[in-house]
């Protein structure tokens, strides 16, 4: 699950509109007929590069020779392509991945997918993470997706820079010293005071994303009302912009990679998969990074699902394949192959995960991410959530990049968010 | 020819011969055009049943401060890119017209940027204008100036976008001007020379007036192209796409009309509103073309 590596769908906007337009003709006729769905033979499996372990997918072919599994790594904007195909009603895959951030949208069209509970998902769910399974559940209890991975969040930090600032660099001690946002900022101020070239906050969006994940309500409530102007949201905003007032924001949203490599960012907040972003951007800092619990409580960014579109004929066969691909052992294999962090807690005990990570100085990162994954709070995410949230991120960028007054930015953000919400049909 | 009623079917081979264009146009031009017009009066997330929305989408559009911002951005970027670009193109074309050797080589070099992948170009320029490690800032610092946060500021973002667009299309327009210059007969220049006109006078009194049709053509084409700027800001600010995709960067300074359309339709699954934006863009391009036409038509008199 790599939110940050979403591929670009360049220049094909108009082509996509054409395709969407053409396929739209069949919407009123009912796209879920299924007769035209999928290839004539075999079991088409759609995923994206890095979404599943290629080795496990390859092995599934020999595991299920009768099903004739046809994996298809779909490039470009995955949501766009899946949506167009489901609307068009033909060439629908028998199994498809759905990214975590797209699940709220696809959950709003639940009749396009199969209720996995009918095929035995319910028994498996008992031993799994309730909050993750809930992400792919409808109000009436239909289970649309089988979790592939999760993105529990933590604080990433440079042990060497913290030591240089005379601060503790031990994960437990760092977590204890930064258990609230006030403590985190105080810790960061001390760090930035001693080592002025380094900052504890990469960008305001980084902090805001985590704090919003810790709230009881996001931008749109379960009853489809706008909650982006609530007191707790204002508080989240105030806490976030405080980093700017304190002068401890690196403001590196536009160039995170170089800032990571240069040591400008001494502390970072992100999901388990963010480790890969850091090691890709700053390979020379290997061994200097550590991980600790992030302030207050962990949240979750991303983490995908495998689903069975309702057009699939042999749903039981498709579910058996999913069950095998996402078995505990294969989730461990996926972590080894592509650092896909297992959604199945049992996989965290496999040797693939319990070993130390060289990039993090040999730290056993599962000791942080495992318990974090257990503690992620359940939160309702509306289909319109990301569209509405855009207003806040735009204004946060205005505050950090252009010095806009934070109170004015809040007022503007709420006003713009309300407009977007209205256009999205939010009450 | 006379008298006999002509049966159109008699000409079926000719109709078949010209049909590919019309069939493709109907499928990929006419139909999307009509469908998006219909869509602009509806609400559709791309997958659920379509519901009627009346004039709601257009009411939203009129009240949408972000769309206004996108319109202003697009116009500023277009002016910043087009005006210097066309002057540079004209200069390059005159220079090309006066060189004697390696003319084809220069033509190829001038034409090269316009056939280069725009994604590659933007990624390249993004590295050049990087806030910290960009070549531009390193040069500025080397000569004792302070670096500029190119990809953060309201104006600097527009400058970067304008530079990219200028770099890509300056040569293309120069080639078009060069073709226009070739068509001007040498006798006119000789006559000017005999009358004692210097190079500058010749340029303004002979070259520019005679090139007018070509200049009008490039202005119109640049207007239509500039009003539809999309890929440049999309790639330039693609890196932070995870939480706020296609926002056009800090302050939404790089949010163009078409990028906003794309964001609303394809990121937010708001196809009805996207269609309304597309027709808003169409109206604005039409107005600009009209203005262009009026100005040039008046100058013609």
């Amino acid at each position: 699950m790599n939110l940050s590596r979403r591929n670009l769908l360049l220049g094909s906007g108009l082509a996509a509109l054409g395709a969407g337009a053409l396929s739209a003709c069949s919407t009123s006729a009912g796209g879920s007929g299924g007769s035209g769905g999928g290839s004539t033979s075999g079991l088409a499996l759609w995923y994206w590069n890095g979404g599943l372990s290629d080795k496990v997918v390859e092995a599934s072919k020999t595991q299920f020779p009768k099903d004739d599994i046809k994996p298809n790594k779909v490039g470009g904007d995955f949501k766009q392509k899946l949506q167009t195909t489901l609307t068009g009603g033909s060439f629908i895959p028998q199994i498809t991945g759905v990214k975590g951030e797209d699940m709220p949208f696809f959950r709003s069209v639940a009749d396009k997918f199969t209720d996995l509970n009918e095929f035995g998902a319910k028994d498996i769910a008992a031993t799994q993470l309730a909050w993750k399974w809930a992400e792919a559940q409808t109000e009436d209890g239909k289970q649309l997706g089988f979790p592939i991975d999760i993105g529990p969040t933590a604080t990433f930090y440079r042990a060497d820079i913290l030591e240089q600032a005379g601060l503790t660099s031990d994960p437990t001690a760092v977590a204890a010293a930064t258990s609230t946002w006030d403590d985190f900022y105080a810790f960061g101020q001390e760090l930035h005071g001693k080592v002025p070239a380094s900052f504890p906050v990469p960008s305001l969006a980084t902090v805001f994303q985590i704090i919003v994940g810790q709230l009881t309500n996001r931008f749109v409530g379960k009853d489809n009302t706008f909650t982006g102007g609530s007191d707790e949201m204002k508080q989240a905003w105030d806490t976030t912009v405080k980093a700017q007032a304190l002068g401890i924001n690196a403001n590196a949203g536009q160039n995170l990679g170089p800032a990571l490599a240069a040591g400008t960012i001494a502390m970072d907040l992100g999901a388990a998969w963010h480790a890969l972003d850091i090691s890709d951007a700053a390979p020379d800092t290997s061994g200097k990074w550590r991980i600790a619990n992030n302030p207050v409580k962990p949240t979750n960014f991303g983490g995908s699902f495998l689903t069975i579109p309702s057009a699939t004929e042999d749903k039981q066969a498709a579910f058996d394949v999913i069950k095998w691909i996402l078995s505990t052992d294969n989730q461990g294999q996926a972590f080894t192959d592509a650092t896909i962090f297992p959604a199945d807690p049992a996989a965290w005990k496999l040797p693939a995960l319990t070993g130390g990570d060289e990039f993090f100085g040999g730290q056993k990162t599962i000791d942080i991410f495992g318990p974090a994954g257990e503690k992620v709070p359940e939160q309702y995410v509306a289909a319109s959530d990301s569209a509405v949230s855009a207003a806040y991120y735009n204004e946060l960028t205005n505050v950090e990049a252009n010095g806009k007054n934070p109170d004015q930015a809040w007022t503007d953000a709420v006003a713009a968010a309300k407009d977007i919400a209205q256009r999205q049909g939010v009450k | 020819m006379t008298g006999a009623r002509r049966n159109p079917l008699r000409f079926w081979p000719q109709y078949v011969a010209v049909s590919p264009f019309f069939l493709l146009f109907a499928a990929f031009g006419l139909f999307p055009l009509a469908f998006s017009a219909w869509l602009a009066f509806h609400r559709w997330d791309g997958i659920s049943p379509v519901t009627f929305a009346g004039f709601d989408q257009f009411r939203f559009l009129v009240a949408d401060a972000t769309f206004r911002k996108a319109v202003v951005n697009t116009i500023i970027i277009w002016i910043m890119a087009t005006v210097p670009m066309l002057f540079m193109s004209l200069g390059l074309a005159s220079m090309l017209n006066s060189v004697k050797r390696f003319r084809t080589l220069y033509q190829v070099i001038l034409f090269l940027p316009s056939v280069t992948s725009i994604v590659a170009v933007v990624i390249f320029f993004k590295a050049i204008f990087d806030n910290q490690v960009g070549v531009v800032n390193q040069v500025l610092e080397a000569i004792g100036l302070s670096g500029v946060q190119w990809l953060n500021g309201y104006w600097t973002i527009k400058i970067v976008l304008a530079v990219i667009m200028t770099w890509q299309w300056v040569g293309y327009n120069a080639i078009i001007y060069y073709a226009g210059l070739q068509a001007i007969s040498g006798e006119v220049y000789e006559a000017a020379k005999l009358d004692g006109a210097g190079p500058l006078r010749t340029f303004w009194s002979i070259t520019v007036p005679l090139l007018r049709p070509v200049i009008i053509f490039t202005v119109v084409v640049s207007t239509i192209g500039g009003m539809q700027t999309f890929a440049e800001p999309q790639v330039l600010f693609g890196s932070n796409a995870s939480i706020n995709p296609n926002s056009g960067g800090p302050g939404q300074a790089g949010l163009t009309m078409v990028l906003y359309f794309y964001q609303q339709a394809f990121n937010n699954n708001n196809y009805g509103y996207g269609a309304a934006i597309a027709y808003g863009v169409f109206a604005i391009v039409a107005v600009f073309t009209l203005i262009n036409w009026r100005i040039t038509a008046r100058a013609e008199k």
Side-chain angles (χ1 to χ4, degrees), chain A residues 164-187:
Chain A
Q164 201 186 326
L167 293 159
T168 174
S169 67
D170 171 66
T172 320
V174 169
T178 61
S179 64
T180 67
W181 288 105
D182 282 340
D183 288 349
F184 180 85
Y185 286 158
F187 190 84

Side-chain angles (χ1 to χ4, degrees), chain A residues 145-217:
Chain A
F146 195 121
I148 300 171
D149 62 333
I150 57 171
T153 60
T155 302
F156 297 75
Y157 63 93
R158 285 276 296 271
D160 57 326
I161 298 178
L162 261 55
E163 277 161 24
Q164 201 186 326
L167 293 159
T168 174
S169 67
D170 171 66
T172 320
V174 169
T178 61
S179 64
T180 67
W181 288 105
D182 282 340
D183 288 349
F184 180 85
Y185 286 158
F187 190 84
Q189 271 183 293
E190 205 170 332
L191 161 77
H192 180 60
K194 299 264 174 56
V195 187
S198 294
F199 296 83
V201 172
S203 69
L204 295 183
T206 318
V207 174
F208 191 61
Q209 203 181 2
I210 299 227
I211 302 185
V212 169
Q214 294 169 341
L215 302 179
T216 39
N217 282 303

Side-chain angles (χ1 to χ4, degrees), chain B:
Chain B
M1 279 278 186
T2 50
R5 287 180 70 186
R6 283 192 289 156
N7 180 3
L9 284 178
R10 252 182 55 210
F11 300 104
W12 69 268
Q14 284 88 336
Y15 283 115
V16 170
V18 296
S19 66
F21 168 76
F22 290 99
L23 290 176
L24 286 173
F25 176 73
F28 297 106
L30 200 61
F31 176 72
L33 212 66
F35 182 70
S36 55
W38 177 80
L39 208 51
F41 294 95
H42 291 79
R43 188 183 285 285
W44 192 42
D45 65 5
I47 193 162
S48 310
V50 182
T51 53
F52 185 67
F55 282 93
D56 276 1
Q57 307 289 17
F58 291 101
R59 264 207 299 280
F60 290 144
L61 189 67
V62 172
D64 189 351
T66 313
F67 180 66
R68 280 197 294 275
K69 194 180 279 177
V71 173
V72 172
N73 284 343
T74 310
I75 294 171
I76 294 176
I77 294 168
W78 167 69
I79 292 173
M80 284 170 84
T82 308
V83 175
M85 174 176 76
L86 293 183
F87 276 105
M88 280 163 66
S89 293
L90 205 50
L92 280 169
S94 310
M95 279 151 67
L96 188 63
N97 201 27
S98 56
V99 294
K100 297 279 180 284
R101 302 176 64 194
F102 306 125
R103 204 176 259 184
T104 316
L105 177 72
Y106 292 130
Q107 281 177 352
V108 170
I109 291 172
L110 280 175
F111 202 69
L112 217 50
S114 61
V115 293
T116 311
S117 152
I118 184 144
V119 180
V121 171
V122 177
I123 291 173
F124 180 68
F125 273 89
K126 188 180 180 177
I128 290 181
F129 283 102
D130 189 281
N131 291 344
Q132 256 109 54
V133 296
V135 175
V136 175
N137 275 354
Q138 289 190 348
V139 170
L140 285 178
E141 275 157 29
I143 58 172
L145 296 165
S146 58
V148 176
Q149 302 275 303
W150 290 103
L151 301 180
N152 278 355
Y154 182 83
W155 289 103
T156 53
I157 286 173
K158 291 182 172 64
I159 291 172
V160 171
L161 288 169
V163 166
I164 295 173
M165 288 159 71
T166 303
W167 184 84
Q168 191 158 32
W169 298 112
V170 71
Y172 173 83
N173 286 304
I175 298 287
I176 292 177
Y177 286 147
Y178 170 67
L181 289 174
Q182 295 274 290
I184 300 174
S185 135
E187 290 165 17
V188 190
Y189 285 109
E190 273 172 36
K193 214 172 190 175
L194 285 175
D195 288 344
L200 217 59
R201 181 70 201 269
T202 312
F203 181 76
W204 286 113
S205 301
I206 306 281
T207 311
V208 172
L210 285 174
L211 265 185
R212 185 181 294 281
V214 183
I215 293 173
I216 292 171
F217 169 77
T218 56
V219 169
V220 170
V221 168
S222 304
T223 306
I224 296 171
M227 288 291 143
Q228 299 183 26
T229 304
F230 165 71
E232 291 88 349
Q234 211 245 0
V235 181
L236 198 60
F237 299 106
S239 66
N240 53 355
S242 59
I243 37 176
N244 189 9
N246 300 316
S247 64
Q252 294 176 288
L255 185 73
T256 58
M257 296 188 292
V258 180
L259 185 63
Y260 187 54
F261 148 76
Y262 178 80
Q263 181 204 46
Q264 292 298 313
F266 296 101
N267 293 124
N268 293 359
N269 288 86
N270 205 342
Y271 290 85
Y273 191 56
I277 296 175
Y279 273 88
V281 174
F282 170 74
I284 289 164
V285 173
V287 166
F288 264 78
T289 313
L290 206 68
I291 294 171
N292 265 339
W293 179 71
R294 286 301 291 258
I295 289 174
T296 47
R298 188 170 303 158
E300 204 81 30
K301 290 172 191 167

Side-chain angles (χ1 to χ4, degrees), chain A residues 10-365:
Chain A
L10 288 162
S12 57
L14 288 175
L17 179 64
L22 285 170
S23 56
C25 301
S26 64
T27 31
S28 48
S32 58
S35 52
S39 48
T40 44
S41 71
L43 193 154
L45 162 64
W46 277 21
Y47 67 111
W48 52 91
N49 196 24
L52 292 170
S53 156
D54 294 338
K55 279 187 200 160
V56 172
V57 170
E58 204 54 40
S60 72
K61 285 185 188 170
T62 43
Q63 187 70 25
F64 299 94
K66 272 191 211 147
D67 290 328
D68 187 20
I69 297 170
K70 288 176 177 151
N72 184 1
K73 253 196 241 187
V74 178
D77 188 334
F78 194 88
K79 180 197 82 176
Q80 191 59 54
K81 290 184 180 173
L82 179 60
Q83 174 211 313
T84 308
T85 308
L86 290 176
T87 305
S90 39
F91 301 104
I92 300 176
Q94 277 71 27
I95 300 174
T96 179
V98 167
K99 294 188 181 183
E101 72 266 34
D102 300 330
M103 189 41 105
F105 170 68
F106 284 114
R107 210 180 46 208
S108 71
V109 284
D111 62 327
K112 300 279 180 193
F113 295 95
T114 304
D115 180 9
L116 304 182
N117 279 339
E118 289 172 22
F119 301 91
K122 208 159 203 146
D123 309 329
I124 299 168
T127 59
Q128 306 280 323
L129 297 167
W131 63 266
K132 186 64 194 174
W133 284 69
E135 280 183 13
Q137 248 164 36
T138 59
E139 284 294 287
D140 52 355
K142 276 171 82 181
Q143 185 68 42
L144 306 182
F146 195 121
I148 300 171
D149 62 333
I150 57 171
T153 60
T155 302
F156 297 75
Y157 63 93
R158 285 276 296 271
D160 57 326
I161 298 178
L162 261 55
E163 277 161 24
Q164 201 186 326
L167 293 159
T168 174
S169 67
D170 171 66
T172 320
V174 169
T178 61
S179 64
T180 67
W181 288 105
D182 282 340
D183 288 349
F184 180 85
Y185 286 158
F187 190 84
Q189 271 183 293
E190 205 170 332
L191 161 77
H192 180 60
K194 299 264 174 56
V195 187
S198 294
F199 296 83
V201 172
S203 69
L204 295 183
T206 318
V207 174
F208 191 61
Q209 203 181 2
I210 299 227
I211 302 185
V212 169
Q214 294 169 341
L215 302 179
T216 39
N217 282 303
R218 296 178 68 90
F219 304 96
V220 178
K222 238 179 182 168
D223 52 354
N224 201 27
T225 52
F226 178 71
T227 52
S230 68
D231 289 344
E232 64 166 357
M233 189 61 75
K234 175 74 167 88
Q235 223 159 23
W237 176 275
D238 289 343
T239 308
T240 305
V241 295
K242 202 174 156 194
Q244 186 68 17
L246 294 172
I248 52 173
N249 176 20
N251 188 15
Q254 299 305 316
N255 38 12
L256 198 63
L260 283 166
T264 313
I265 295 171
M267 300 178 87
D268 196 355
L269 300 149
W273 46 262
H274 190 50
L276 211 61
D277 295 339
I278 299 177
S279 59
D280 280 351
D284 296 343
T285 60
S286 179
K288 293 173 180 167
W289 289 87
R290 298 289 183 278
I291 297 166
N293 295 331
N294 64 225
V296 188
K297 58 185 167 192
T299 62
N300 178 70
F301 295 169
S304 315
F305 299 90
L306 281 182
T307 64
I308 303 175
S310 47
T312 302
E313 272 168 33
D314 194 346
K315 297 183 166 81
Q316 187 64 54
F319 184 75
D320 291 341
V321 171
I322 290 182
K323 208 166 82 179
W324 186 82
I325 289 178
L326 299 177
S327 67
T328 307
D329 284 345
N330 281 334
Q331 289 202 18
Q333 179 71 35
F335 183 78
T336 311
D337 295 345
T339 46
I340 298 168
F341 193 86
D344 180 0
W348 303 344
K349 298 190 178 71
L350 297 173
L353 281 102
T354 51
D357 188 331
E358 278 311 306
F359 191 80
F360 295 98
Q363 187 185 0
K364 291 176 180 156
T365 56

